[in-house]
Amino acid sequence: AQSVTQLGSHVSVSEGALVLLRCNYSSSVPPYLFWYVQYPNQGLQLLLKYTTGATLVKGINGFEAEFKKSETSFHLTKPSAHMSDAAEYFCAVSASAGSARQLTFGSGTQLTVLP
Amino acid sequence: ETGVTQSPTHLIKTRGQQVTLRCSSQSGHNTVSWYQQALGQGPQFIFQYYREEENGRGNFPPRFSGLQFPNYSSELNVNALELDDSALYLCASSPAGRGPDTQYFGPGTRLTVL
């Protein structure tokens, strides 16, 4: 069974500083991995996804993530935090459920950006 | 903007009641998934519908059921509501040909069970 662990339920960074949100996965098959962002009282927005190919994935809003098979990690980074990045971030892995494909999410990391 | 809408935005019910939540997807999105997100947690997969048939279910009891309609809308029904059913319910649709891993989420329905 696939699972995701997000290290750190809360992360605070100063505006302009590096953002690093950690995600480790467990999967018995080559994983499809995702990062989603959720703003207050809103649904989930896809930031980026890894399926196959290049291990460094670039997403929206300046975010990127690197798939490291040897470390079973898919950490999310952004070189310079902006106040608008404050939100909750979820890492997810795609898995089969019967004939369906389900997303299994981590418990989330709340990002706070300090002025 | 994902083009996925959900109604109602908020809902309050009492224990034992039944509730129906609705989702409307974009044209051509023939797969819809429903997730439950309890406060402070990540979303959990309830089930997925493909071409109006349930084709996968997570660890949820049968009192959680759904329907998908030809017009790309869908429903989540929950019978015999329990206090622990209080959560944000999210639907996500996938466009035909893009694979079910590409999921576009709606804004959710916040259900409170008293």
Side-chain angles (χ1 to χ4, degrees), chain A residues 71-105:
Chain A
E71 299 177 8
T72 61
S73 68
F74 191 58
H75 302 329
L76 181 71
T77 60
K78 182 174 180 177
S80 176
H82 191 273
M83 297 297 289
S84 61
D85 295 328
E88 185 141 29
Y89 292 79
F90 292 95
C91 183
V93 62
S94 183
S96 294
S99 301
R101 295 285 291 178
Q102 71 173 80
L103 292 173
T104 299
F105 288 86

Side-chain angles (χ1 to χ4, degrees), chain B:
Chain B
E1 192 64 45
T2 64
V4 181
T5 60
Q6 291 186 243
S7 63
T9 305
H10 295 87
L11 200 54
I12 299 175
K13 291 286 189 179
T14 57
R15 193 170 48 184
Q17 286 188 311
Q18 178 267 342
V19 69
T20 297
L21 310 182
R22 293 178 173 82
C23 173
S24 180
S25 307
Q26 292 187 55
S27 176
H29 285 213
N30 57 5
T31 302
V32 65
S33 305
W34 285 88
Y35 293 83
Q36 179 195 67
Q37 185 178 16
L39 199 61
Q41 297 182 25
Q44 288 196 316
F45 176 72
I46 302 175
F47 46 55
Q48 186 175 88
Y49 277 76
Y50 172 67
R51 292 185 175 179
E52 303 164 44
E53 296 286 334
E54 182 181 304
N55 68 339
R57 173 178 281 262
N59 189 26
F60 282 81
R63 60 188 184 86
F64 286 78
S65 63
L67 288 170
Q68 185 186 25
F69 303 102
N71 66 351
Y72 306 107
S73 66
S74 60
E75 292 180 353
L76 165 66
N77 298 288
V78 186
N79 293 322
L81 283 167
E82 301 177 359
L83 297 179
D84 285 348
D85 295 334
S86 295
L88 180 68
Y89 288 86
L90 298 164
C91 78
S93 68
S94 303
R98 292 285 302 277
D101 297 293
T102 301
Q103 299 191 18
Y104 297 92
F105 282 82
T109 293
R110 174 75 61 186
L111 172 65
T112 302
V113 182
L114 302 176

Side-chain angles (χ1 to χ4, degrees), chain A residues 63-75:
Chain A
F63 285 94
E64 61 183 36
E66 186 170 11
F67 170 64
K68 292 187 176 180
K69 184 178 179 180
S70 61
E71 299 177 8
T72 61
S73 68
F74 191 58
H75 302 329

